[in-house]
Structures are given as structure tokens and as C-alpha cells.
Amino acid sequence: MYPSLEGKTVVITGAGTGLGKAMALRFGAEKANVVINYFKEEENPEETVEKIESSGARAIAVQGDVSKEDDVKALIRQAVDSFGSVDVMVNNAGVENEVPSEDLALEDWNRVISTNLTGMFLGCREAIGYMLDHNIKGSVINMSSVHQQIPWPHFVHYAASKGGAKLLTETLALEYAPKGIRVNAIGPGAIDTPINAEKFADPELKKGVIELIPIGYIGKPEEVAACAAWLASEEASYVTGLTLYVDGGMTKYPGFQAGKG
Ligand code: NAI
């Protein structure tokens, strides 16, 4: 646990499901005030709010589309209205779909880029702007992917968005380090969340993914949330511009394991 997170206000986008939800619960367990941005009503964010409140922390749920400037502004405003600050911003919302690149519709390209990259930019801009105005030495965490590094055929829009997330993170880290604002990314490998539900429901596809993971299993959302808590905490006070891969070694050339190289 990280005592420096107690009473801090943490805003998490796309927190109705998956990694965002796991991070909301983890920051709640750290006794932070948690602002859960969710996209669709059926995600039932109130259940997460109740769980956090029952553990003695505070939380609110705010609907919004991260690709819409007004929604992101409203999200930050609601965090401040409810808890008086924004200390940690987690830009987590993301989407993907599998299409051979020659068939990729402009609509799909725009949807993925505007959610994953433009949404991340808006979240960074609004949160950092608030931190600067209020002299807060805050922390921003961008949810990237191993695909900021590993090319991914049939997911060119997704890979491009995460490649963009890498340099967005590193550029903002450099720009705001003098103000004491840290900007880092997390690069998950294959984690068991709704984004992968269809793939992991097929035993053959799941086996194929596990073969790419040196540590030998699909990651759990809580394992990503633990890293987010550390990165946001004072324990990581000298860390900025990092992408922390939480990938069981996936980015370390698994094809070379056991003398295969
Ligand atoms: P998920 O599908 O459960 O979560 C994505 C969330 O983003 C959903 O709650 C969805 O409603 C929300 N969202 C989608 N469009 C939105 C919009 N326009 N505005 C606000 N929210 C929106 O999947 P998961 O795995 O939790 O994904 C979270 C992040 O982690 C994504 O950025 C994804 O690219 C990244 N990631 C996930 C990996 C995995 O293996 N699960 C691996 C690498 C990266």
C-alpha cells in the first residue's frame, strides 16, 4: 500500500470495465478519492462506487466520451467540484477492432485514433492545465500497450494510436518535469479483460497468445492496477517519461526462449 495516495483525487477514464475498473478499486483501497469515467450505462459503475465507499474511501461515476473535448472538460470539473482537486490522471479508455489494413474503414480508423490518442491528449491537457493552475505536482498515467513497440497486423489503427501514446507521454514528461508533474505510461501485454473476451474464449487462440508470454499466463487486471498505484505514488517520485511494460516478458522476444534463437 502507498500512504501518499490517501486523500488524493484520481481520475480514471474508461473505468466502467477491465483495467480501468481494477485501477478504480485499487486506488479506492489506497483511500484515494476516485473519479470513475465510464462510457456506457450498462457498465454499471455504481457497483464500483459502492465497493469503494464500503471500504471507507470516496468515489463518483461520471459518464463521458473521452474523444469529446466538452466531456473531458466536464470530467475534470466534476472531479474538482466533488473532491477539490485532481492529483492523478489515468488516461485508460481505449478501443480496438481487427481488420486487414486494406479494408480498414476511415470510420474505424477515426474511432480508434480519437478514443485512444485524441482522448489521451485531451485528458492530459485538461489535467495538466489544472495541476499547473493550482501548483499541484501531480502524476499522469497513460494506458499504452506493448503495441507501442510491437507491430500488429490487422490492428494498424490501434498500433498507430499506441505508438502515438509513447511519444505523447515522453514529450509531456519532458515538458512538465520542471513543474514537478510526472507523465508515464503503462504498456500491458495480454490481460484478461473484456477487450480480449472473444479471443480468450477460443482455446486455440488463447493458447497462441500464451505462447507469446515468457512468464506463461495471461495477466490479471489487478497486476496492472498494482503498477498504476506505484507509478502514481510518491514511491515513484523520480520516475517520469517511462513506459512500464506489464507484459510477462512479451516485449522481450519470446521466440528466443530456451535456446530457440
Ligand atoms: P475494456 O474494453 O474493458 O476497457 C476499455 C474501456 O474504455 C471500456 O470501459 C470502454 O467503455 C471505454 N471506452 C471506449 N470508448 C470510450 C470513449 N470514447 N470514452 C470513454 N470511454 C471509452 O478493455 P481494457 O483491457 O480494460 O482496456 C483498457 C486500456 O488498456 C485500453 O486503452 C487498452 O488499449 C489498454 N490495453 C489493454 C490490454 C489488454 O490485454 N487488456 C493490453 C494493452 C493495452
Side-chain angles (χ1 to χ4, degrees):
M1 302 303 275
Y2 301 104
S4 61
L5 292 174
E6 188 169 345
K8 292 277 159 58
T9 298
V10 181
V11 179
I12 309 170
T13 67
T17 61
L19 299 183
K21 183 175 175 179
M23 290 187 286
L25 291 168
R26 175 64 193 245
F27 281 110
E30 298 282 353
K31 301 278 181 277
N33 308 316
V34 187
V35 180
I36 297 167
N37 156 256
Y38 68 100
F39 195 41
K40 296 180 185 154
E41 290 303 333
E42 63 259 31
E43 292 168 359
N44 192 15
E46 289 307 328
E47 192 184 286
T48 310
V49 169
E50 279 164 28
K51 275 191 189 157
I52 292 171
E53 286 177 341
S54 69
S55 73
R58 298 162 76 199
I60 55 166
V62 182
Q63 197 281 331
D65 178 341
V66 295
S67 69
K68 295 195 174 135
E69 191 169 30
D70 288 348
D71 284 14
V72 180
K73 283 177 185 284
L75 175 65
I76 297 299
R77 207 165 40 239
Q78 280 197 252
V80 174
D81 287 350
S82 299
F83 300 126
S85 186
V86 173
D87 304 292
V88 178
M89 179 74 197
V90 185
N91 294 300
N92 166 76
V95 287
E96 67 181 39
N97 66 308
E98 180 171 5
V99 196
S101 299
E102 76 272 20
D103 295 329
L104 178 59
L106 181 59
E107 191 185 332
D108 276 348
W109 170 271
N110 284 339
R111 184 176 60 93
V112 169
I113 296 294
S114 67
T115 306
N116 300 11
L117 188 56
T118 308
M120 186 175 284
F121 158 68
L122 290 171
C124 287
R125 190 190 69 186
E126 293 306 310
I128 290 172
Y130 178 84
M131 290 170 187
L132 290 172
D133 286 348
H134 296 83
N135 199 22
I136 292 169
K137 296 188 188 322
S139 165
V140 176
I141 298 174
N142 293 327
M143 196 55 70
S144 184
S145 164
V146 292
H147 296 296
Q148 71 169 35
Q149 177 181 324
I150 303 174
W152 203 16
H154 295 194
F155 291 85
V156 70
H157 45 351
Y158 184 81
S161 74
K162 298 302 186 179
K166 175 182 188 288
L167 274 175
L168 182 149
T169 300
E170 292 174 5
T171 299
L172 297 180
L174 197 55
E175 194 165 341
Y176 296 107
K179 299 289 183 190
I181 298 171
R182 299 183 298 109
V183 186
N184 292 291
I186 292 179
I191 315 293
D192 194 6
T193 70
I195 215 170
N196 291 319
E198 220 172 290
K199 196 185 299 167
F200 295 164
D202 178 330
E204 275 309 301
L205 289 180
K206 188 172 177 179
K207 187 165 162 274
V209 173
I210 292 173
E211 279 167 11
L212 297 172
I213 308 171
I215 220 164
Y217 68 93
I218 305 287
K220 301 188 230 3
E222 294 75 21
E223 292 177 293
V224 176
C227 294
W230 173 74
L231 261 185
S233 80
E234 280 301 310
E235 297 295 308
S237 54
Y238 206 53
V239 180
T240 196
L242 173 77
T243 295
L244 176 53
Y245 287 114
V246 186
D247 69 349
M250 194 185 242
T251 41
K252 302 299 173 285
Y253 303 97
F256 279 77
Q257 260 189 320
K260 282 184 268 179

